[in-house]
């Protein structure tokens, strides 16, 4: 009888989880924020569905902000063998260091050109073994259904995507008059994982994305991305490095590519090279509810921009504090020509800005 | 002690469930969709609350799309006897074959005139026994609070409802200048269920809806609906048939009735007759995670339209695949003058369109 | 083995709960509502996250309406000692009778000036013992990030806040041309709790809020609030009383303060005194699923308005019915110059209106 009750009490196979986040911001480039000694703002409520029923996997995440709503993933999966998993739906496009090419709340600059933690609509076959990672993906479009997706705003998305071609005479933050979307592209990632006798681990990998740009009537160009990444773990230390080159080849003259995310349109150069270098150190502690600290420095540089002179960089020096379900990032962000730090990647002439940010996130 | 723990571990009496859906669409009537070889689009995230506490029932469902949000149901219920249940709130108006007059993802044409799976605000008393179904409902209005409901848009709803009277000179998809809503109407449904010795089942029923149209100041007409339905089950086979006649009698001259749903306004004739014929065949299988297949053909015809010459029809030939929590519809939709298939019920002169649609839905 | 299963079956430490509500309204001041014999409208779907992981507490609540979405709370907490809890995030500003200064669905008039159940962004340290309550809070701003918060609309919030200064020539319900927000204010509340030999309880307390008004560039004034409250419990009886005085001292001439909530802008006087008197009687019953009834009368008066002659009052005579998860308020609201009852606090000349309201709420 008790066994019956235990069975009744079993949690459902799909777990409903989520996150709640808010943050304190002090931005030296924002006079009224300084005048108030910073702001404490609501960030998001998140709902996650994860689990499997009869070997069919579900992974989905919905995010509510006070200015938009977005899906971060929504896919079904199936393990064909112990090594091969297939995924279809709104999946994370496989690229470079995964899940993140960073340790801090702001990610690396890769995120702001769509090359970190970027959901797209497509299919992916992933191979995982002790020594090798392979991802062979084909993306039909972005997470908002591409150029004619039926959505409130094409800027209401979690991760930066190309949503237009920036034409001569338009402003950096204008909504695009020539709308485009990535369409029908391949995304392939391979990585070799080395395991050393002393427990150290090294991963070296290559990634590429090649495919089409579509304006709602026809192809209007294509896009190529190449990346090489490395990750080294030794005890409490983690080192990451990555080099990426992306190139949009548009049929019409462009002043950059229009990006959309977080309810804003912005501009990025139509081609650029990005460098990332990250270091982190983990320290288990026992201070009240605090069980772990992580110290890190994450550096990104964007250079060789098509049509622009000035580089973009971002350095995030920070600490993450783990306490129960609460994971808090303390970040000192120093950046030039960088979104979310008072600048844009799509114009010359920015100045170096500093932002102190504490993001409180409760995850469950 | 273990018993205590079992009790603590009991899941809460209200179950939080949901669904995640996305779909592949190839539409022969959409040149740019064809040019991209179809699109893979996010559909929805759904959250369901179902259960009961001390015999008081809750059933609610919220749906998030990238272009709108809507409630599909939100009611409380109570079983007065073993046979009688009362429901109040946003309930499903009882009508015809329930829960669905169809087997495919697109439902039957009835859905597009508000006569299938349509939530309204009201109260319903339902009687269920082995032999009889009775539903005696009274609807105060629609799920958005009627003509003066305080909502973002009257077109942001899950199921098609009358939201206006189409006046001379307005376009088919225009927002209504003369807004109306169904108000204070009766919905009664009765069905006789026959159980044959060989296990076959037959259900024959009649439904009606009679009530008011309100423009925010006064009654501006009334509305009558009559329907007869049949359902026959024999082993793996299911057959359904239905005939419906609806008639809006408006005090002002109309060019049809404005409908609202899925963030779009559209037009339907002020009176019409709808015929539905469905057949489905269930096949249990054991192919990897796939446990069942269903093959079906669903046909709808809308004729005798007030003020229009051309009929509407839709045929959906399809297969549904059950695999764990995943239920996938593969539908070949052929239709003329039909919403969601490149046409409208409210104008003459459409052409026959074909849409191939795969809707992936994970339900839990 | 069974023990293992029990452990597996344990519910997650953060509980996902929620609420679903809808209501019937009959308003004597709304001719078309009367003409339809009232309306039955959807109210909200609510999702709650509550619990703790390793002593770190999460409390969050998200609300979806058909016209807006809002966060009601989103904070993390930690019990430093048995008596002291710290909270940071979107917290409920401590003030007066808590959690509510009322027994009915409409709260007291305090709610409509931001002095009842009002979430703000800040930090609070609360002391709770048998005899004393202390709350020492510092609010950085409101729940929408203050005057430059990145939000869809500053009126899309759960509780009334100051969002602008009403300038000469503007209408009572206009969006503010001079936007402001509460900023950097202290909120302190103390209460003494007396426990009598016969089980009766008396609480007497004082509250204050003092701080800044910010227009996005500079401070444009300050704000002071003083309150005294009392609560007496004797068996089934509860009595509450409260007096509040608030005063906005703005650097520019004002015609009142613009408030925002429930997708509407409204006006309140820049200073006023509010009186609340409540009585409630609890009656346990056993009628079908109904386990408890509560009868109440709640009276609010707003007087000594700056720049206005006419007082605001609201009386709510009502009954609440508890049945399983369903909690239903039957309220007869009689009010003059009151929001949600056909009036505004920010103008003279209103008339006495009556609204009969049944709010059905299923909470879990």
């Amino acid at each position: 009888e008790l066994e019956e009750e235990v069975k009744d009490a079993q949690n459902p196979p799909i777990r409903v989880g989520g996150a709640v986040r808010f943050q304190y911001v002090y931005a030296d480039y924002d006079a009224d924020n300084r005048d108030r000694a910073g702001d404490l703002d609501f960030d998001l409520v998140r709902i996650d569905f994860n689990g499997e029923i009869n070997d069919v996997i579900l992974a989905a995440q919905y995010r509510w902000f006070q200015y938009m709503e977005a899906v971060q993933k929504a896919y079904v999966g199936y393990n064909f063998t112990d090594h091969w998993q297939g995924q279809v739906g709104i999946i994370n496009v496989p690229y470079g260091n995964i899940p993140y090419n960073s340790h801090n709340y702001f990610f690396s600059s890769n995120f702001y050109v769509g090359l970190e933690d970027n959901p797209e609509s497509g299919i992916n076959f992933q191979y995982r073994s002790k020594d090798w990672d392979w991802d062979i993906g084909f993306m039909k479009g972005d997470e908002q259904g591409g150029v004619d997706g039926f959505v409130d705003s094409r800027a209401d998305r979690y991760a930066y995507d190309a949503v237009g071609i920036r034409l001569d005479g338009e402003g950096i933050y204008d909504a695009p008059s020539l709308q485009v979307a990535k369409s029908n592209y391949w995304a392939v990632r391979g990585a070799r994982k080395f395991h050393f006798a002393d427990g150290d681990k090294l991963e070296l990998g290559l990634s590429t994305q090649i495919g089409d740009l579509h304006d709602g009537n026809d192809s209007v160009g294509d896009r190529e991305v190449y990346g090489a990444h490395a990750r080294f773990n030794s005890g409490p230390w983690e080192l990451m490095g990555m080099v990426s080159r992306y190139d949009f080849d548009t049929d019409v003259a462009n002043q950059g590519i229009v990006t959309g995310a977080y309810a804003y349109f912005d501009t990025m150069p139509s081609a650029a090279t990005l460098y990332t270098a990250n270091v982190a150190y983990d320290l288990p502690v026992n201070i009240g509810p605090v069980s772990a600290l992580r110290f890190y420095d994450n550096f990104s540089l964007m250079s060789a921009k098509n049509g622009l002179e000035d580089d973009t960089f971002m350095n995030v020096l920070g600490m993450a504090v783990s306490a129960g379900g609460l994971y808090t990032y303390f970040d000192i962000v120093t950046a030039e020509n960088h979104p979310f730090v008072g600048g844009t990647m799509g114009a010359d002439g920015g100045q170096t800005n500093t932002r102190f940010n504490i993001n409180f996130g409760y995850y469950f």
Side-chain angles (χ1 to χ4, degrees), chain A:
Chain A
E1 187 205 4
L2 198 59
E3 273 185 80
E4 274 308 296
E5 283 180 43
V6 170
K7 204 176 161 197
D8 288 351
Q10 297 285 357
N11 286 303
I14 302 298
R15 188 174 169 283
V16 179
V20 175
R21 299 202 309 220
F22 51 89
Q23 68 183 358
Y24 172 80
V25 184
Y26 183 91
D28 78 345
Y29 48 90
D30 181 347
D32 67 287
N33 170 288
R34 286 203 317 270
D35 188 58
R36 291 185 302 266
D39 287 312
L40 181 66
D41 295 346
F42 174 79
D43 180 5
L44 63 74
V45 168
R46 202 174 93 184
I47 297 175
D48 294 76
F49 300 139
N50 286 290
E52 59 180 82
I53 300 176
N54 293 348
D55 301 329
V56 181
I57 298 162
L58 174 67
Q61 185 182 111
Y62 156 85
R63 295 178 171 221
W64 180 75
F65 302 87
Q66 286 175 323
Y67 51 89
M68 72 165 201
E69 292 159 270
V71 62
Q72 196 270 343
K73 65 169 81 74
Y75 66 80
V76 296
Y78 183 68
N79 294 321
F80 292 100
T81 73
D82 285 354
H83 294 299
W84 281 100
Q85 181 176 104
Q87 300 174 341
V88 62
I90 308 301
I91 61 176
N92 206 300
V93 57
Y95 184 79
N97 279 307
I98 53 176
Y100 307 116
N101 186 43
S102 54
H103 300 99
N104 74 89
Y105 175 68
F106 293 86
F107 292 145
S108 75
S109 295
N110 281 14
F111 179 73
Y112 304 84
V113 299
L115 296 177
E116 184 176 351
D117 200 31
N118 189 2
E120 304 276 48
S121 72
I123 188 163
N124 186 32
F125 293 95
Q126 62 178 39
Y127 174 89
R128 295 290 181 271
S129 73
K130 193 186 163 216
D131 295 334
W132 286 98
D133 273 17
W134 285 104
D135 289 90
I136 301 162
F138 183 74
M139 307 296 132
K140 281 301 297 172
D142 60 41
E143 70 269 37
Q144 286 194 313
V147 67
D148 66 350
F150 189 36
V151 297
D152 273 347
S153 162
R154 292 191 68 210
D156 286 1
R157 61 182 76 200
Y158 161 74
Y160 284 77
D161 283 312
V163 296
I165 293 177
R166 182 62 75 209
L167 302 180
D168 213 20
E170 294 182 358
I172 286 289
Y173 301 112
D174 287 356
S177 55
L178 173 49
Q179 296 207 38
V180 303
K182 291 176 282 183
S183 178
N184 292 332
Y185 74 88
W186 292 92
V188 179
R189 175 183 179 273
R192 178 74 170 89
K193 296 176 283 190
F194 302 94
H195 303 266
F196 302 109
D198 56 2
D200 290 1
K201 286 184 294 183
L202 175 66
E203 175 181 319
L204 298 174
L206 298 172
S207 304
T208 187
Q209 299 177 18
I210 297 182
D212 197 29
L213 269 192
H214 203 276
D215 75 350
N217 291 305
D218 292 294
S219 169
V220 288
D222 48 53
R223 171 178 163 271
E224 296 185 5
V225 182
Y226 302 98
H229 75 270
R231 182 193 300 249
F232 179 68
N233 292 89
S234 177
W237 292 96
E238 179 166 79
L239 303 174
M240 281 190 253
M242 174 137 212
V243 180
S244 294
R245 175 72 189 173
Y246 75 82
D247 195 341
F248 287 83
D249 181 12
T250 62
D251 297 350
V252 297
N254 73 67
Q255 300 294 316
I257 299 298
V258 184
T259 56
Y262 294 94
Y264 258 109
F265 294 106
D266 198 345
T267 306
M268 65 179 184
S270 59
T273 306
L274 295 107
Y275 306 90
T276 310
N278 302 325
V279 57
Y281 180 86
D282 285 328
L283 182 68
V285 296
N286 197 343
I287 311 167
V290 179
S291 58
L293 301 178
R294 169 177 280 186
F295 303 92
Y296 48 79
D297 192 83
N298 291 177
F299 179 78
S300 291
L301 175 69
M302 183 193 218
S303 194
K305 296 179 180 181
N306 194 21
L308 294 172
E309 297 289 319
D310 293 352
D311 289 351
T312 279
F313 83 86
M314 174 169 68
N315 188 78
V316 186
L317 175 66
M319 176 178 70
V321 178
S322 216
L326 182 66
Y327 195 78
T328 308
Y329 294 96
F330 295 81
D331 289 326
I332 300 169
V333 190
T334 311
E336 195 169 300
N337 298 317
H338 207 290
F340 273 77
V341 201
T344 174
M345 291 166 162
D348 285 327
Q351 60 188 27
T352 304
N353 294 323
T354 300
R355 169 178 180 156
F356 176 62
N357 199 89
I358 309 174
N359 189 276
F360 301 85
Y362 202 107
Y363 302 85
F364 59 94

